């Protein structure tokens, strides 16, 4: 394992989740930020770098900094969709290594369920999307349906295999009192749920919820005074390959192939050493494609890899242990919640859903329509 540990996650927290009609986006972020700083034993006065992403304001960092009363020495509002927060972790590590700051606060919030929207204030159709939307491609599910259909055509992947992911994830959610959906489901229930965009059923699709989250990243020096065990950032990688699905180089291979390779190489660990995986699950097909691209199985073998409830509680490959975007929460950009759960697993704080003696975690975010990828390897002492 790579012993160079320049930075660590020292605090994590969610805001209220599910339906939050009494709170706006800034309030959710402030609630999560205060809780994450408390978790670390820090205050807002310790923060000298601010990271956020979203579509809720013209300049999200300016609005957030003003609301929280933070005037950062370093700021980053990079937005590449749901993987933005994994990317922010990598950028925070780079900034800490460069000596630009010691404590970074990363936040996200959305009231997408209460607003009944995806919070995407775009008055005009972006340049390349004009060649898709007029022809009826629903965003974003239509793009994922295209990828799923292509994978089925090439490799014989089945709806039952995709349903394995939804069922396993729900089993984890049943162990998480914060999860939005906790009722048990079986593969037959997934297949009986209505079509959203063939071959994806309703239960192949993520939730639509409100919610916010925050993560505190600290240098080695600052982490020494945190009140909880640090979760060290061992490796990271990022990339993006396209914007619109028509321009995806290969519908069955995502940028996780590159971001994952870089993360593993930087961390100096192997796939067999990973104890728990938190993988973006906007749709069941997202997970299957990501597992293949990251190298946990070969292209075309993802269906077999997840079969037999292999990723469920008690299975040999614990994955999306909070219930994921499919059952726990999904306020539009889910990546920050992957980080929160991974940190808690490595700190041994997950109660019934705790993976025994978890020491290494992989976190992978996906953004856009399989467009962006960011991978992290996290570890504890």
């Amino acid at each position: 394992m790579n012993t160079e540990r320049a930075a660590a996650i020292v605090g994590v927290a969610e805001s209220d989740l599910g339906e939050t009609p009494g709170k706006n986006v800034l309030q959710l972020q402030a609630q999560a930020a205060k809780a994450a700083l408390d978790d670390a034993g820090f205050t807002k006065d310790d923060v000298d770098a601010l990271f956020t992403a979203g579509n809720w304001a013209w300049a999200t960092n300016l609005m957030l900094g003003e609301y929280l009363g933070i005037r950062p020495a370093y700021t980053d509002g990079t937005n590449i969709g749901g993987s933005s927060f994994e990317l922010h972790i990598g950028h925070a590590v780079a900034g800490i290594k460069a000596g630009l700051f010691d404590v970074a606060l990363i936040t996200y919030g959305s009231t997408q369920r209460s607003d009944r929207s995806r919070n995407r204030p775009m008055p005009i159709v972006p340049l390349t999307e004009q060649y898709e939307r007029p022809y009826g491609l629903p965003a974003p599910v239509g793009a994922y349906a295209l990828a799923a259909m292509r994978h089925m055509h090439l490799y014989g992947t089945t709806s039952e295999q995709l349903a394995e992911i939804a069922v396993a994830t729900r089993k984890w959610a049943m162990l998480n009192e914060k999860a939005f959906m906790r009722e048990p489901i079986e593969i037959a229930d997934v297949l009986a749920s209505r079509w959203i965009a063939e071959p994806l059923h309703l239960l192949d699709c993520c939730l639509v919820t409100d919610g916010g989250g925050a993560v505190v990243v600290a240098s080695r020096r600052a982490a020494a005074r945190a009140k909880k065990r640090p979760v060290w950032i061992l490796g990271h990688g990022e990339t993006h390959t396209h914007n619109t699905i028509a321009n995806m180089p290969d519908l069955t291979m995502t940028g996780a192939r590159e971001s994952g390779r870089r993360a593993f190489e930087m961390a100096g660990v192997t796939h067999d050493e990973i104890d728990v995986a938190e993988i973006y699950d906007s749709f069941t097909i997202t997970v299957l494609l990501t597992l293949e691209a990251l190298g946990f199985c070969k292209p075309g073998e993802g269906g077999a890899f997840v079969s037999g409830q292999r990723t469920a509680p008690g299975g040999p490959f614990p994955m999306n242990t909070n219930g994921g975007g499919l059952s726990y929460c999904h306020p539009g950009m889910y990546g920050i919640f992957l980080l929160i759960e991974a940190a808690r697993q490595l700190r041994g704080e997950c109660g019934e859903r705790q993976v025994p003696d978890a020491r290494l975690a992989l976190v992978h975010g996906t953004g856009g329509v399989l467009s962006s990828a960011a991978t992290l390897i996290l570890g504890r002492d």
Side-chain angles (χ1 to χ4, degrees):
M1 182 188 301
N2 189 337
T3 57
E4 182 183 357
R5 297 177 174 184
I9 294 173
V10 295
V12 295
E14 308 104 325
S15 69
D16 293 341
L17 301 173
E19 295 186 68
T20 63
K23 288 186 170 68
N24 62 35
V25 171
L26 283 168
Q27 289 172 313
L28 292 173
Q29 290 186 84
Q31 182 187 24
K34 175 64 164 60
L37 288 166
D38 288 346
D39 188 53
F42 293 175
T43 73
K44 71 179 181 66
D45 294 331
D46 294 304
V47 176
D48 48 3
L50 187 63
F51 294 73
T52 192
N55 301 300
W56 48 271
W58 165 72
T60 53
N61 289 57
L62 303 185
M63 183 72 77
L64 180 65
E66 179 180 85
Y67 191 79
L68 297 179
I70 294 173
R71 297 180 181 180
Y74 186 98
T75 191
D76 188 337
T78 304
N79 186 347
I80 56 168
S83 61
S84 297
F85 313 100
E86 285 71 35
L87 172 143
H88 289 166
I89 294 284
H91 291 192
V93 172
I96 286 169
K97 284 184 176 180
L100 300 177
F101 53 87
D102 278 311
V103 177
L105 175 64
I106 304 170
T107 76
Y108 174 69
S110 167
T111 53
Q112 150 175 308
R113 185 176 182 88
S114 295
D115 296 342
R116 296 294 190 267
S117 76
R118 288 187 57 79
N119 292 321
R120 298 181 69 191
M122 293 185 290
I124 60 173
V125 176
L127 180 62
T128 54
E129 290 186 22
Q130 67 180 302
Y131 301 110
E132 295 179 355
R133 290 193 191 181
Y135 297 96
L137 186 72
V141 63
Y144 288 84
L146 287 173
M149 191 68 82
R150 182 62 177 167
H151 201 276
M152 289 176 166
H153 171 74
L154 286 178
Y155 301 117
T157 307
T158 67
S159 292
E160 288 80 2
Q161 289 172 327
L162 293 179
E164 292 266 9
I165 296 168
V167 171
T169 309
R170 182 63 62 88
K171 289 178 180 177
W172 286 110
M174 291 168 64
L175 303 177
N176 183 359
E177 63 182 13
K178 295 182 180 180
F180 193 72
M181 299 294 290
R182 301 182 68 195
E183 300 81 5
I185 58 172
E186 302 294 338
I187 289 175
D189 297 315
V190 180
L191 301 182
S193 63
R194 63 185 175 90
W195 293 115
I196 300 300
E198 192 177 357
L200 299 178
H201 298 83
L202 176 64
L203 293 179
D204 286 301
C205 303
C206 66
L207 303 172
V208 177
T209 70
D210 302 334
V215 175
V216 181
V217 177
S219 66
R220 178 191 292 273
R221 177 176 60 187
R225 58 185 173 85
K227 70 180 185 181
K228 290 190 176 180
R229 169 189 288 174
V231 172
W232 297 101
I233 302 156
L234 306 180
H236 57 87
E238 65 190 61
T239 190
H240 49 84
T241 53
H242 59 282
N243 178 36
T244 50
I245 195 68
N247 292 288
M248 186 174 181
D250 181 342
L251 282 171
T252 65
M253 181 53 63
T254 77
R257 177 171 55 185
E258 293 304 316
S259 64
R261 177 183 60 79
R262 295 181 191 128
F264 274 106
E265 287 178 356
M266 186 180 296
V269 303
T270 65
H271 292 73
D272 291 342
E273 294 178 85
I274 299 299
D275 298 305
V276 59
E278 308 295 342
I279 293 177
Y280 205 106
D281 59 341
S282 48
F283 303 93
T284 51
I285 186 62
T286 315
V287 178
L288 189 143
L289 294 178
T290 303
L291 288 168
E292 294 181 358
L294 289 172
F296 285 104
C297 55
K298 295 178 180 179
E301 295 181 357
F305 185 87
V306 300
S307 291
Q309 292 297 279
R310 191 162 187 259
T311 65
F317 191 83
M319 182 181 75
N320 295 346
T321 51
N322 58 3
L326 292 170
S327 290
Y328 157 63
C329 79
H330 197 291
M333 295 167 65
Y334 178 69
I336 201 161
F337 301 98
L338 300 168
L339 297 166
I340 293 168
E341 177 67 8
R344 287 176 174 162
Q345 284 287 344
L346 294 180
R347 298 194 310 201
E349 298 175 345
C350 291
E352 285 187 271
R353 68 180 192 277
Q354 180 63 47
V355 175
D357 195 32
R359 300 185 65 86
L360 284 174
L362 178 139
V363 178
H364 180 83
T366 300
V369 287
L370 300 167
S371 309
S372 66
T375 312
L376 297 169
I377 307 293
L378 306 177
R380 67 171 173 86
D381 291 327

